[in-house]
Amino acid sequence: MFYSFKILSELKDSKARTGIIKTKMGDVNTPCFLPVASQGAVKALTHRELEELGADMILSNTYHVYLRPGLEVIEKFGGLHEFISWRKPILTDSGGFQIYSISKLAKVEGEGVYFSSHLDGSKFHFSPEKVVEIQSVLNSDIMMVLDYFVPYISPYEEVKYSTELTVKWAERSMEAFKRWNKNQAIFGIVQGGTYRNLREYCAEKLKEMDFDGYGLGGMSIGEPKEKMLEMIEVMNEILPEEKPKYLMGSGTPEDLFEAVERGVDVFDCVLPTRNARTGTIFTSLGKVIIKQKRYYDDESPLDPNCNCYTCRNYSKAYLRHLYVSNEINSSILNTIHNIQFYLDIIKKIRQSILLGSFEELKSNTLNLKKEMI
């Protein structure tokens, strides 16, 4: 069987659970964090480094790899795994987020979305069916349906329209998937903004379609954190317990704990890699802004509680020097640490659920001083 999800352990006093996603390219232990490789590469890291850090699955983006290098090249190689030489699972997003992130270059109609390429302005069209077809060529392990959401705060009628269109596109995606699928899984995406009734409507409709898993989309776009957590609870009340839940694009360390407690199994976020390149480092003692002058001659490692290559070998003083000198190694070493930090947190979360100590881990982690160090 090329895809399955099995719950291994659950907590009695919350919805936190561990599980395993089985795919054609290997197993993924959940809860899991997916480093973002939009164009087939996690910025500043090689695949070997990713494997050594313990990444089980990465996320690539249909919109980006469709434009560059293009489907012809990837098809010639036999799929995205072969093209990028990554021998573990890949989840591909649909391009729906780009409707939001480059909205000035996107025009949504009932049949799909018309894009103007952010690279050269060329025009192309994504329909739900075409997005499934593209991801079938990519041969990712998990594909996402084309979805549509609008900015927070948008008028209710606009959110309602985007939610209804997401449901229609999900239906068309599932029909196309049945025609194209070979050995992949497909996840639906629940939309609805911060409106409880719209989230409930979308979740109910997608539940009826019996997807392999469900993405919780349109979050972390400016809404209050309490609203995001409320919407997670709303959707988890409706979506089938035996299917994995994926909180898309949200991922502060606090988000991981709060969402796992509410039943989320899969995460992705650009925060660890993007922040690493801009000199913001996550540590067990708080954030480090490495460009600050106080680290000029600091002999200590980024994080005394971290065993990553960066922390074992380099001082804050040297890492500051690399950053202010605009050296490429700054991005590499900072990213190694930040990805290790995230993967360590999610591993500790899994272990704490198995041991029944999740609440203790959450409390100890989130109660550490939050100020910059």
Side-chain angles (χ1 to χ4, degrees):
M1 189 174 185
F2 65 86
Y3 172 86
S4 66
F5 174 64
K6 181 180 180 181
I7 298 170
L8 299 178
S9 62
E10 299 176 88
L11 293 182
K12 295 180 180 180
D13 53 353
S14 80
K15 292 187 178 297
R17 75 250 190 106
T18 65
I20 185 166
I21 297 174
K22 291 185 173 291
T23 79
K24 63 180 181 292
M25 293 299 292
D27 297 347
V28 180
N29 294 304
T30 65
C32 63
F33 180 84
L34 281 55
V36 176
S38 294
Q39 301 185 69
V42 174
K43 294 184 186 298
L45 291 185
T46 65
H47 292 342
R48 185 179 72 176
E49 288 166 328
L50 275 176
E51 290 184 19
E52 290 173 351
L53 290 170
D56 286 334
M57 180 161 59
I58 61 174
L59 177 145
S60 290
N61 185 280
T62 298
Y63 169 93
H64 286 292
V65 297
Y66 174 80
L67 288 181
R68 186 172 54 188
L71 281 191
E72 287 186 10
V73 174
I74 295 174
E75 190 168 21
K76 182 178 180 180
F77 277 78
L80 192 58
H81 291 93
E82 291 76 11
F83 178 67
I84 69 174
S85 296
W86 174 255
R87 309 304 179 189
K88 290 187 173 186
I90 299 175
L91 182 149
T92 45
D93 200 359
S94 64
F97 181 76
Q98 279 61 48
I99 301 174
Y100 168 80
S101 64
I102 53 171
S103 58
K104 293 181 179 179
L105 301 177
K107 183 181 180 181
V108 176
E109 296 184 354
E111 287 302 305
V113 54
Y114 292 87
F115 281 111
S116 296
S117 167
H118 71 287
L119 299 175
D120 58 13
S122 60
K123 311 290 185 182
F124 61 98
H125 180 248
F126 271 10
S127 67
E129 294 83 1
K130 184 173 182 178
V131 167
V132 169
E133 179 183 349
I134 292 170
Q135 292 181 90
S136 294
V137 173
L138 299 180
N139 197 25
S140 54
D141 299 271
I142 298 172
M143 68 168 75
M144 307 301 297
V145 300
L146 185 64
D147 62 323
Y148 177 38
F149 65 95
V150 293
Y152 176 83
I153 305 169
S154 292
Y156 177 82
E157 288 303 319
E158 289 185 18
V159 181
K160 183 173 182 287
Y161 173 74
S162 69
T163 305
E164 291 172 342
L165 200 54
T166 290
V167 169
K168 292 176 182 177
W169 286 359
E171 291 173 344
R172 291 166 55 188
S173 297
M174 182 57 92
E175 288 304 311
F177 178 75
K178 292 174 182 177
R179 297 194 299 270
W180 279 94
N181 177 51
K182 300 173 185 175
N183 54 4
Q184 297 166 276
I186 185 170
F187 282 21
I189 302 177
V190 179
Q191 293 293 353
T194 55
Y195 296 100
R196 185 184 186 95
N197 65 315
L198 295 180
R199 288 283 178 179
E200 290 175 337
Y201 162 77
C202 193
E204 289 285 4
K205 289 295 184 181
L206 267 59
K207 178 181 178 181
E208 293 172 7
M209 298 177 208
D210 194 28
F211 285 96
D212 295 306
Y214 297 89
L216 315 179
M219 300 274 87
S220 293
I221 57 171
E223 79 281 354
K225 186 63 63 74
E226 312 81 64
K227 273 293 182 184
M228 181 186 80
L229 298 179
E230 179 189 345
M231 293 304 104
I232 292 173
E233 291 173 359
V234 167
M235 293 180 285
N236 207 39
E237 288 172 3
I238 296 171
L239 297 174
E241 182 181 353
E242 69 274 12
K243 301 293 181 71
K245 318 299 189 308
Y246 165 30
L247 181 59
M248 305 178 71
S250 301
T252 67
E254 293 80 8
D255 289 343
L256 301 184
F257 281 98
E258 297 292 354
V260 164
E261 190 171 32
R262 290 163 173 80
V264 173
D265 306 289
V266 181
F267 299 86
D268 82 275
C269 190
V270 298
L271 274 182
T273 49
R274 180 178 291 169
N275 282 16
R277 298 193 303 277
T278 58
T280 299
I281 318 298
F282 295 96
T283 81
S284 62
L285 303 178
K287 290 181 183 178
V288 170
I289 310 300
I290 199 62
K291 67 181 179 182
Q292 292 179 345
K293 190 173 182 179
R294 58 173 152 166
Y295 302 124
Y296 174 75
D297 61 352
D298 192 329
E299 300 178 62
S300 66
L302 281 174
D303 189 340
N305 301 312
C306 179
N307 195 42
C308 77
Y309 173 78
T310 303
C311 290
R312 291 198 316 269
N313 291 282
Y314 302 104
S315 66
K316 291 192 186 83
Y318 179 62
L319 295 171
R320 179 186 183 276
H321 161 70
L322 292 177
Y323 183 80
V324 299
S325 302
N326 200 30
E327 286 287 344
I328 292 174
N329 274 353
S330 173
S331 293
I332 295 171
L333 294 173
N334 292 348
T335 302
I336 285 173
H337 170 78
N338 272 0
I339 290 294
Q340 182 75 77
F341 179 80
Y342 266 69
L343 293 176
D344 277 353
I345 281 185
I346 211 71
K347 182 178 180 180
K348 288 175 181 175
I349 287 175
R350 287 198 301 268
Q351 292 173 337
S352 72
I353 295 171
L354 289 169
L355 296 172
S357 58
F358 174 77
E359 284 301 326
E360 180 182 354
L361 176 67
K362 177 188 174 186
S363 177
N364 290 341
T365 303
L366 300 188
N367 285 337
L368 288 171
K369 58 182 181 179
K370 301 291 190 286
E371 68 267 20
M372 306 303 182
I373 63 172

